[in-house]
Amino acid sequence: MDKYEYKVRADEIKSLISEGEYGEAVKIADTIDWRRVKSVMMLCTISDLYKINRRYEDSRDILLLAYDRHAGGRLIVYSLCELSIKLGEFVQALEYYKEFVQLAPKDSGRYILQYKLYEAQEVSLEERIEVLEELKKRDYREKWAYELAVLYAMNNEKDKCIQLCDDIILWFGLGKYVEKALSLKSQFAPLTPAQK
């Protein structure tokens, strides 16, 4: 395939992705030899496309090409760690996790990756709770705060669960995790009039 034909197909893929036509975009992506593509950004886009289509091995293979062209890219390493976890390749995932921590020691994503590793390996609830509590101290995100509240509930720490649900509701006000926090709290304690 010459450069012009590649450009036409690449533009068509981007257009289909923007329209949410991931199945059609992946069919075109399958016709391109990605080993010859130098654009790290395009390789990452195609890796994400394969991931959306649940073709995790293909996604990883494309991402490895991007990694070879841009070693030390923390987002690439982060994604490789996530894909390795999805594929059950925990030793490789741990290597990528260590590399990510070395590349970005202050990035709170390290706690998310550690939690995903722990969850996939069914590490104890207490250890998973510790990781999410550390994430909460550094970067308070509603998704992970809610996940922590669920772990508290699973670990029979109802008071902590209720308190965290109240915090989520107060901090974020609206959204799907606020709705989930309201529902979770209602299993253990009555909602306040404002929460109802």
Side-chain angles (χ1 to χ4, degrees), residues 74 78 97 100-101 104 106-116 135 139 141:
R74 70 182 177 88
Y78 185 97
Y97 169 75
F100 179 80
V101 171
K106 294 182 179 179
D107 191 315
S108 60
R110 70 184 287 182
Y111 300 105
I112 296 168
L113 288 176
Q114 185 179 11
Y115 176 75
K116 288 179 178 184
L135 173 62
D139 188 1
R141 300 184 196 180

PDB file of all heavy atoms in Angstrom, residues 74 78 97 100-101 104 106-116 135 139 141:
ATOM      1  N   ARG A  74       4.624   7.314  28.977  1.00  0.00           N
ATOM      2  CA  ARG A  74       3.924   6.801  30.160  1.00  0.00           C
ATOM      3  C   ARG A  74       2.497   6.346  29.862  1.00  0.00           C
ATOM      4  O   ARG A  74       2.025   5.376  30.440  1.00  0.00           O
ATOM      5  CB  ARG A  74       3.974   7.792  31.306  1.00  0.00           C
ATOM      6  CG  ARG A  74       3.170   9.031  31.124  1.00  0.00           C
ATOM      7  CD  ARG A  74       3.330   9.997  32.305  1.00  0.00           C
ATOM      8  NE  ARG A  74       2.600  11.213  32.051  1.00  0.00           N
ATOM      9  CZ  ARG A  74       1.326  11.396  32.353  1.00  0.00           C
ATOM     10  NH1 ARG A  74       0.657  10.447  32.928  1.00  0.00           N
ATOM     11  NH2 ARG A  74       0.738  12.541  32.065  1.00  0.00           N
ATOM     12  N   TYR A  78       1.094   2.705  30.561  1.00  0.00           N
ATOM     13  CA  TYR A  78      -0.145   2.549  31.349  1.00  0.00           C
ATOM     14  C   TYR A  78      -1.114   1.624  30.611  1.00  0.00           C
ATOM     15  O   TYR A  78      -1.662   0.681  31.190  1.00  0.00           O
ATOM     16  CB  TYR A  78      -0.779   3.922  31.581  1.00  0.00           C
ATOM     17  CG  TYR A  78      -1.998   3.900  32.469  1.00  0.00           C
ATOM     18  CD1 TYR A  78      -1.897   4.189  33.826  1.00  0.00           C
ATOM     19  CD2 TYR A  78      -3.265   3.613  31.955  1.00  0.00           C
ATOM     20  CE1 TYR A  78      -3.013   4.190  34.650  1.00  0.00           C
ATOM     21  CE2 TYR A  78      -4.381   3.603  32.771  1.00  0.00           C
ATOM     22  CZ  TYR A  78      -4.252   3.892  34.115  1.00  0.00           C
ATOM     23  OH  TYR A  78      -5.363   3.873  34.923  1.00  0.00           O
ATOM     24  N   TYR A  97       3.731  -2.084  35.229  1.00  0.00           N
ATOM     25  CA  TYR A  97       3.373  -1.257  36.389  1.00  0.00           C
ATOM     26  C   TYR A  97       4.638  -0.613  36.987  1.00  0.00           C
ATOM     27  O   TYR A  97       4.665   0.585  37.258  1.00  0.00           O
ATOM     28  CB  TYR A  97       2.646  -2.100  37.450  1.00  0.00           C
ATOM     29  CG  TYR A  97       2.488  -1.378  38.757  1.00  0.00           C
ATOM     30  CD1 TYR A  97       1.542  -0.371  38.910  1.00  0.00           C
ATOM     31  CD2 TYR A  97       3.299  -1.683  39.852  1.00  0.00           C
ATOM     32  CE1 TYR A  97       1.407   0.312  40.102  1.00  0.00           C
ATOM     33  CE2 TYR A  97       3.175  -0.998  41.044  1.00  0.00           C
ATOM     34  CZ  TYR A  97       2.227  -0.008  41.166  1.00  0.00           C
ATOM     35  OH  TYR A  97       2.107   0.682  42.340  1.00  0.00           O
ATOM     36  N   PHE A 100       5.860   2.068  34.752  1.00  0.00           N
ATOM     37  CA  PHE A 100       5.015   3.257  34.839  1.00  0.00           C
ATOM     38  C   PHE A 100       5.354   4.072  36.086  1.00  0.00           C
ATOM     39  O   PHE A 100       5.482   5.296  36.024  1.00  0.00           O
ATOM     40  CB  PHE A 100       3.530   2.871  34.848  1.00  0.00           C
ATOM     41  CG  PHE A 100       2.614   4.051  34.964  1.00  0.00           C
ATOM     42  CD1 PHE A 100       2.326   4.822  33.853  1.00  0.00           C
ATOM     43  CD2 PHE A 100       2.072   4.418  36.179  1.00  0.00           C
ATOM     44  CE1 PHE A 100       1.503   5.935  33.939  1.00  0.00           C
ATOM     45  CE2 PHE A 100       1.245   5.529  36.292  1.00  0.00           C
ATOM     46  CZ  PHE A 100       0.965   6.286  35.165  1.00  0.00           C
ATOM     47  N   VAL A 101       5.515   3.396  37.225  1.00  0.00           N
ATOM     48  CA  VAL A 101       5.846   4.082  38.474  1.00  0.00           C
ATOM     49  C   VAL A 101       7.190   4.795  38.356  1.00  0.00           C
ATOM     50  O   VAL A 101       7.359   5.917  38.842  1.00  0.00           O
ATOM     51  CB  VAL A 101       5.832   3.102  39.670  1.00  0.00           C
ATOM     52  CG1 VAL A 101       6.395   3.742  40.928  1.00  0.00           C
ATOM     53  CG2 VAL A 101       4.411   2.593  39.915  1.00  0.00           C
ATOM     54  N   ALA A 104       6.558   7.844  35.985  1.00  0.00           N
ATOM     55  CA  ALA A 104       5.663   8.887  36.520  1.00  0.00           C
ATOM     56  C   ALA A 104       5.367   8.605  37.996  1.00  0.00           C
ATOM     57  O   ALA A 104       4.252   8.221  38.349  1.00  0.00           O
ATOM     58  CB  ALA A 104       4.374   8.914  35.709  1.00  0.00           C
ATOM     59  N   LYS A 106       4.716  10.370  40.528  1.00  0.00           N
ATOM     60  CA  LYS A 106       3.683  11.159  41.206  1.00  0.00           C
ATOM     61  C   LYS A 106       2.316  11.041  40.550  1.00  0.00           C
ATOM     62  O   LYS A 106       1.344  11.622  41.018  1.00  0.00           O
ATOM     63  CB  LYS A 106       4.108  12.627  41.272  1.00  0.00           C
ATOM     64  CG  LYS A 106       5.329  12.817  42.142  1.00  0.00           C
ATOM     65  CD  LYS A 106       5.725  14.251  42.262  1.00  0.00           C
ATOM     66  CE  LYS A 106       6.948  14.330  43.166  1.00  0.00           C
ATOM     67  NZ  LYS A 106       7.451  15.656  43.349  1.00  0.00           N
ATOM     68  N   ASP A 107       2.223  10.290  39.464  1.00  0.00           N
ATOM     69  CA  ASP A 107       0.948  10.122  38.753  1.00  0.00           C
ATOM     70  C   ASP A 107       0.033   9.209  39.568  1.00  0.00           C
ATOM     71  O   ASP A 107       0.415   8.092  39.914  1.00  0.00           O
ATOM     72  CB  ASP A 107       1.224   9.525  37.373  1.00  0.00           C
ATOM     73  CG  ASP A 107       0.008   9.550  36.466  1.00  0.00           C
ATOM     74  OD1 ASP A 107      -1.095   9.199  36.924  1.00  0.00           O
ATOM     75  OD2 ASP A 107       0.161   9.912  35.286  1.00  0.00           O
ATOM     76  N   SER A 108      -1.171   9.688  39.860  1.00  0.00           N
ATOM     77  CA  SER A 108      -2.103   8.890  40.661  1.00  0.00           C
ATOM     78  C   SER A 108      -2.600   7.649  39.918  1.00  0.00           C
ATOM     79  O   SER A 108      -3.164   6.750  40.530  1.00  0.00           O
ATOM     80  CB  SER A 108      -3.281   9.747  41.107  1.00  0.00           C
ATOM     81  OG  SER A 108      -3.969  10.264  39.990  1.00  0.00           O
ATOM     82  N   GLY A 109      -2.349   7.582  38.618  1.00  0.00           N
ATOM     83  CA  GLY A 109      -2.705   6.389  37.847  1.00  0.00           C
ATOM     84  C   GLY A 109      -2.038   5.137  38.370  1.00  0.00           C
ATOM     85  O   GLY A 109      -2.534   4.032  38.177  1.00  0.00           O
ATOM     86  N   ARG A 110      -0.920   5.307  39.059  1.00  0.00           N
ATOM     87  CA  ARG A 110      -0.217   4.148  39.626  1.00  0.00           C
ATOM     88  C   ARG A 110      -1.110   3.383  40.597  1.00  0.00           C
ATOM     89  O   ARG A 110      -1.068   2.161  40.673  1.00  0.00           O
ATOM     90  CB  ARG A 110       1.075   4.583  40.297  1.00  0.00           C
ATOM     91  CG  ARG A 110       0.845   5.380  41.576  1.00  0.00           C
ATOM     92  CD  ARG A 110       2.079   5.903  42.209  1.00  0.00           C
ATOM     93  NE  ARG A 110       2.809   4.814  42.827  1.00  0.00           N
ATOM     94  CZ  ARG A 110       3.923   4.976  43.498  1.00  0.00           C
ATOM     95  NH1 ARG A 110       4.463   6.174  43.612  1.00  0.00           N
ATOM     96  NH2 ARG A 110       4.522   3.951  44.049  1.00  0.00           N
ATOM     97  N   TYR A 111      -1.943   4.110  41.362  1.00  0.00           N
ATOM     98  CA  TYR A 111      -2.829   3.460  42.327  1.00  0.00           C
ATOM     99  C   TYR A 111      -3.976   2.732  41.621  1.00  0.00           C
ATOM    100  O   TYR A 111      -4.407   1.674  42.066  1.00  0.00           O
ATOM    101  CB  TYR A 111      -3.366   4.480  43.335  1.00  0.00           C
ATOM    102  CG  TYR A 111      -2.248   5.148  44.104  1.00  0.00           C
ATOM    103  CD1 TYR A 111      -1.872   6.450  43.819  1.00  0.00           C
ATOM    104  CD2 TYR A 111      -1.530   4.453  45.078  1.00  0.00           C
ATOM    105  CE1 TYR A 111      -0.824   7.056  44.499  1.00  0.00           C
ATOM    106  CE2 TYR A 111      -0.475   5.056  45.755  1.00  0.00           C
ATOM    107  CZ  TYR A 111      -0.132   6.358  45.457  1.00  0.00           C
ATOM    108  OH  TYR A 111       0.914   6.943  46.121  1.00  0.00           O
ATOM    109  N   ILE A 112      -4.424   3.304  40.522  1.00  0.00           N
ATOM    110  CA  ILE A 112      -5.484   2.654  39.747  1.00  0.00           C
ATOM    111  C   ILE A 112      -4.956   1.346  39.155  1.00  0.00           C
ATOM    112  O   ILE A 112      -5.617   0.308  39.228  1.00  0.00           O
ATOM    113  CB  ILE A 112      -6.027   3.598  38.654  1.00  0.00           C
ATOM    114  CG1 ILE A 112      -6.694   4.810  39.304  1.00  0.00           C
ATOM    115  CG2 ILE A 112      -6.999   2.874  37.733  1.00  0.00           C
ATOM    116  CD1 ILE A 112      -7.022   5.943  38.355  1.00  0.00           C
ATOM    117  N   LEU A 113      -3.751   1.398  38.582  1.00  0.00           N
ATOM    118  CA  LEU A 113      -3.161   0.175  38.031  1.00  0.00           C
ATOM    119  C   LEU A 113      -2.932  -0.864  39.123  1.00  0.00           C
ATOM    120  O   LEU A 113      -3.203  -2.051  38.930  1.00  0.00           O
ATOM    121  CB  LEU A 113      -1.839   0.484  37.321  1.00  0.00           C
ATOM    122  CG  LEU A 113      -1.932   1.228  35.996  1.00  0.00           C
ATOM    123  CD1 LEU A 113      -0.538   1.543  35.460  1.00  0.00           C
ATOM    124  CD2 LEU A 113      -2.736   0.438  34.973  1.00  0.00           C
ATOM    125  N   GLN A 114      -2.424  -0.412  40.274  1.00  0.00           N
ATOM    126  CA  GLN A 114      -2.179  -1.340  41.381  1.00  0.00           C
ATOM    127  C   GLN A 114      -3.490  -1.971  41.832  1.00  0.00           C
ATOM    128  O   GLN A 114      -3.561  -3.179  42.063  1.00  0.00           O
ATOM    129  CB  GLN A 114      -1.509  -0.602  42.545  1.00  0.00           C
ATOM    130  CG  GLN A 114      -1.118  -1.514  43.686  1.00  0.00           C
ATOM    131  CD  GLN A 114      -0.439  -0.766  44.824  1.00  0.00           C
ATOM    132  OE1 GLN A 114      -0.422   0.457  44.874  1.00  0.00           O
ATOM    133  NE2 GLN A 114       0.122  -1.521  45.754  1.00  0.00           N
ATOM    134  N   TYR A 115      -4.535  -1.162  41.918  1.00  0.00           N
ATOM    135  CA  TYR A 115      -5.836  -1.694  42.320  1.00  0.00           C
ATOM    136  C   TYR A 115      -6.340  -2.716  41.301  1.00  0.00           C
ATOM    137  O   TYR A 115      -6.834  -3.787  41.677  1.00  0.00           O
ATOM    138  CB  TYR A 115      -6.856  -0.559  42.479  1.00  0.00           C
ATOM    139  CG  TYR A 115      -8.228  -1.086  42.801  1.00  0.00           C
ATOM    140  CD1 TYR A 115      -8.523  -1.561  44.069  1.00  0.00           C
ATOM    141  CD2 TYR A 115      -9.214  -1.155  41.822  1.00  0.00           C
ATOM    142  CE1 TYR A 115      -9.763  -2.091  44.360  1.00  0.00           C
ATOM    143  CE2 TYR A 115     -10.459  -1.680  42.114  1.00  0.00           C
ATOM    144  CZ  TYR A 115     -10.724  -2.140  43.377  1.00  0.00           C
ATOM    145  OH  TYR A 115     -11.966  -2.679  43.659  1.00  0.00           O
ATOM    146  N   LYS A 116      -6.219  -2.392  40.015  1.00  0.00           N
ATOM    147  CA  LYS A 116      -6.681  -3.329  38.984  1.00  0.00           C
ATOM    148  C   LYS A 116      -5.903  -4.639  39.038  1.00  0.00           C
ATOM    149  O   LYS A 116      -6.481  -5.720  38.849  1.00  0.00           O
ATOM    150  CB  LYS A 116      -6.570  -2.693  37.594  1.00  0.00           C
ATOM    151  CG  LYS A 116      -7.612  -1.611  37.356  1.00  0.00           C
ATOM    152  CD  LYS A 116      -7.459  -0.985  35.985  1.00  0.00           C
ATOM    153  CE  LYS A 116      -8.541   0.058  35.724  1.00  0.00           C
ATOM    154  NZ  LYS A 116      -8.472   0.612  34.366  1.00  0.00           N
ATOM    155  N   LEU A 135      -5.211   6.460  46.962  1.00  0.00           N
ATOM    156  CA  LEU A 135      -5.649   7.210  45.780  1.00  0.00           C
ATOM    157  C   LEU A 135      -6.562   8.360  46.198  1.00  0.00           C
ATOM    158  O   LEU A 135      -6.415   9.483  45.710  1.00  0.00           O
ATOM    159  CB  LEU A 135      -6.370   6.285  44.796  1.00  0.00           C
ATOM    160  CG  LEU A 135      -7.019   6.966  43.586  1.00  0.00           C
ATOM    161  CD1 LEU A 135      -5.983   7.659  42.709  1.00  0.00           C
ATOM    162  CD2 LEU A 135      -7.801   5.949  42.757  1.00  0.00           C
ATOM    163  N   ASP A 139      -5.939  11.982  44.886  1.00  0.00           N
ATOM    164  CA  ASP A 139      -6.750  12.368  43.725  1.00  0.00           C
ATOM    165  C   ASP A 139      -8.168  11.846  43.943  1.00  0.00           C
ATOM    166  O   ASP A 139      -8.450  10.677  43.694  1.00  0.00           O
ATOM    167  CB  ASP A 139      -6.127  11.760  42.458  1.00  0.00           C
ATOM    168  CG  ASP A 139      -6.770  12.265  41.187  1.00  0.00           C
ATOM    169  OD1 ASP A 139      -7.682  13.100  41.261  1.00  0.00           O
ATOM    170  OD2 ASP A 139      -6.350  11.817  40.100  1.00  0.00           O
ATOM    171  N   ARG A 141     -11.488  11.037  43.043  1.00  0.00           N
ATOM    172  CA  ARG A 141     -12.309  10.822  41.846  1.00  0.00           C
ATOM    173  C   ARG A 141     -13.551  10.032  42.232  1.00  0.00           C
ATOM    174  O   ARG A 141     -13.460   9.037  42.962  1.00  0.00           O
ATOM    175  CB  ARG A 141     -11.538  10.031  40.793  1.00  0.00           C
ATOM    176  CG  ARG A 141     -10.265  10.701  40.320  1.00  0.00           C
ATOM    177  CD  ARG A 141      -9.650   9.874  39.222  1.00  0.00           C
ATOM    178  NE  ARG A 141      -8.262  10.237  38.976  1.00  0.00           N
ATOM    179  CZ  ARG A 141      -7.516   9.660  38.069  1.00  0.00           C
ATOM    180  NH1 ARG A 141      -7.999   8.682  37.324  1.00  0.00           N
ATOM    181  NH2 ARG A 141      -6.272  10.031  37.891  1.00  0.00           N
TER     182      ARG A 141
END
